[in-house]
Amino acid sequence: MTADAALSTPPLASGPEGPEALRPLLTTVLDALAAGTAERGGPLPAGGPDAVTARVAAALGDPLPDTGDPDALHALVRALAAGAADPADPLCAAHLHCPPLAVATAADLAASALNPSLDSWDQAPAASALEAAVTRALARTAGLADALVTTGGTESNQLALLLAREAHGGDLRLVCCAGAHHSLPRAAWLLGLPAPVVLPAPRGTLETATLAEALTTLPGPLLVAATAGTTDAGLIDPLPEIAALCAAHGARLHIDAAYGGGLLFSDRHRDRLTGLDAAHTVTLDLHKLGWQPAAAGLLAVARPDELTTLHQHADYLNATDDTEAGLPDLLARSPRTTRRPDILKIAVTLRTLGRDGLGALVDQVCARAHELAGLIAAHPGFELYDRPVISTVLFRPAEATDDTVAAVRRRLLHEGRAVLGRARLDGRLWLKATVLNPRSRPDDLARLLELVEGSTPR
């Protein structure tokens, strides 16, 4: 390559010149984020899908032009920020979509710059060692032995069913309740398992009497999936009783703690997860109640030897003689091949905040949710579903129809004033506020109710 050609090559993010190449670009990104946030002026862009699409199209122009635009970074980051649903805005409270911590986001930048791939040791020497240490520490926190990094709860649940199928055979049947995450029956379908047995859950959780009857009458092998933090209402199944029933009937137990797993960091709330350590597998997801940029999922396992079922041999990645010589074999750590080092941001967060710091964040959002529930219960214009178990609050305008509830939510979305979710329980439609922003304050919560009240037809 000639000197002129080298000078015309776009700068790289890593290597000796990488930090200096990134420095001015970071300023550009930060300026664009600030400009886009100011342009949006609230939790969501106003105008609905058509207006957002038009603004993105205007900023994007030709997606693949013949000649590049040096201002593209600023323009597109600004457009993305202006058109974002901002989880750091207290009025953006629809989903299990957390505002990521700044320190975790900074660590994620380093992971992107270095770009290790965790499918062979020679692509990720330090990242593979870091992943092994941190995943095992998190697994032990949950009372299990080891953990794999995943893209989130869906992949973790699919992987849990895969390990169960390989351990117990293709006629394994999933038993879950109607409140379980949709990824569980989908995983059974993807894996060619028999149709799941979905038990009724009139109160939103898996009822022990119903489960006991199912375990008594259904032929095995069976995999029971319990939930610690349902998507709709943040409810936690009776884990100790479910674990005891599974042990008595010889059923395998998986617990989906994608939402509720963060309670492990809190001295005040950890007891709600009693029974977690009795599971064969547990789904955790720190881009929910862990304040990580997506993705930051894990699957914790009680029996690490079961992970050998994931092993594959590819001579260019894990040649036998390399493994015998001491190079770690990483292909049994995931069904994926290329994997970015998502463990770095998790490790940085754990070390920076410690258990106490993360536990304090958990306590704060749970307290804010209880305060919101208190405001709703005291307001004659609203009906509260129930006191929150974690940080999800369901409510609705008093005496409103389901159509009205749905219309209020969509009106607030279209106007860009608030982002609320929806959940159907007890045969009715509820507005859902998922409090994951530890910076939310009581006046923010009161403002949320004012917006709903002001958007409700009278």
Side-chain angles (χ1 to χ4, degrees):
M1 179 183 295
T2 66
D4 289 343
L7 289 173
S8 66
T9 302
L12 302 178
S14 58
E17 299 174 359
E20 290 309 311
L22 281 171
R23 200 175 304 278
L25 297 176
L26 292 180
T27 299
T28 298
V29 166
L30 296 176
D31 288 346
L33 287 172
T37 300
E39 181 181 335
R40 186 181 65 246
L44 193 79
D50 291 343
V52 173
T53 299
R55 289 194 289 267
V56 170
L60 178 61
D62 184 350
L64 186 59
D66 292 333
T67 303
D69 178 2
D71 295 326
L73 178 63
H74 186 280
L76 292 179
V77 171
R78 176 173 179 166
L80 193 68
D86 185 2
D89 190 304
L91 300 180
C92 185
H95 301 287
L96 290 165
H97 179 200
C98 69
L101 294 167
V103 70
T105 305
D108 215 26
L109 169 65
S112 293
L114 294 168
N115 208 28
S117 180
L118 282 144
D119 51 312
S120 67
W121 182 88
D122 59 352
Q123 298 176 82
S128 60
L130 184 69
E131 184 179 86
V134 176
T135 52
R136 285 168 191 155
L138 286 168
R140 287 194 295 269
T141 299
L144 279 76
D146 199 358
L148 306 182
V149 175
T150 70
T151 55
T154 293
E155 185 187 349
S156 294
N157 286 340
Q158 290 175 353
L159 192 52
L161 264 67
L162 173 62
L163 295 178
R165 185 193 70 180
E166 295 305 294
H168 299 283
D171 57 346
L172 176 78
R173 174 160 287 184
L174 170 68
V175 180
C176 61
C177 78
H181 194 263
H182 64 83
S183 63
L184 286 160
R186 176 182 283 183
W189 168 70
L190 284 170
L191 293 168
L193 296 174
V197 177
V198 180
L199 303 177
R203 297 177 180 84
T205 57
L206 183 55
E207 297 187 348
T208 53
T210 306
L211 177 61
E213 181 181 358
L215 294 179
T216 301
T217 58
L218 290 171
L222 300 173
L223 168 65
V224 174
T227 306
T230 59
T231 304
D232 277 347
L235 306 178
I236 298 176
D237 288 338
L239 303 180
E241 293 84 353
I242 291 171
L245 283 171
C246 289
H249 291 272
R252 186 180 175 102
L253 175 60
H254 170 65
I255 298 177
D256 179 0
Y259 178 15
L263 299 177
L264 288 168
F265 300 120
S266 167
D267 290 340
R268 184 177 303 171
H269 299 291
R270 187 181 305 135
D271 287 350
R272 296 183 185 183
L273 298 182
T274 298
L276 202 69
D277 57 353
H280 294 79
T281 50
V282 172
T283 288
L284 303 170
D285 196 346
L286 297 182
H287 60 247
K288 293 183 171 65
L289 204 60
W291 297 280
Q292 299 299 293
L298 298 114
L299 179 72
V301 298
R303 301 172 180 172
D305 58 295
E306 290 187 347
L307 300 180
T308 58
T309 193
L310 300 177
H311 185 267
Q312 293 289 315
H313 179 78
D315 196 69
Y316 77 105
L317 295 175
N318 59 350
T320 301
D321 56 317
D322 279 349
T323 303
E324 291 174 349
L327 298 184
D329 181 353
L330 304 182
L331 286 189
R333 301 295 301 176
S334 174
R336 292 175 286 145
T337 303
T338 301
R339 292 192 297 117
R340 73 188 306 273
D342 287 315
I343 200 64
L344 176 62
K345 61 198 173 193
I346 298 172
V348 167
T349 300
L350 297 177
R351 286 280 293 165
T352 301
L353 275 69
R355 186 193 297 272
D356 290 346
L358 276 169
L361 295 179
V362 171
D363 293 346
Q364 286 172 36
V365 297
C366 291
R368 294 294 87 78
H370 277 273
E371 290 172 4
L372 176 58
L375 290 174
I376 293 166
H379 195 301
F382 291 114
E383 180 182 353
L384 177 69
Y385 175 75
D386 203 352
R387 293 285 173 174
V389 175
I390 305 177
S391 66
T392 298
V393 182
L394 301 184
F395 67 103
R396 52 184 283 141
E399 300 180 4
T401 65
D402 285 357
D403 287 345
T404 297
V405 172
V408 166
R409 174 180 173 272
R410 287 193 293 269
R411 184 177 300 117
L412 291 172
L413 290 176
H414 185 84
E415 295 170 354
R417 300 170 74 193
V419 189
L420 287 166
R422 55 185 286 162
R424 188 169 294 278
L425 286 169
D426 287 350
R428 294 191 292 166
L429 187 64
W430 300 82
L431 296 173
K432 177 173 69 171
T434 308
V435 184
L436 290 180
N437 187 343
R439 289 181 172 267
S440 296
R441 295 293 177 261
D443 57 335
D444 298 319
L445 306 177
R447 176 62 179 155
L448 186 62
L449 297 186
E450 289 172 3
L451 289 171
V452 173
E453 186 177 25
S455 297
T456 304
R458 299 186 184 281

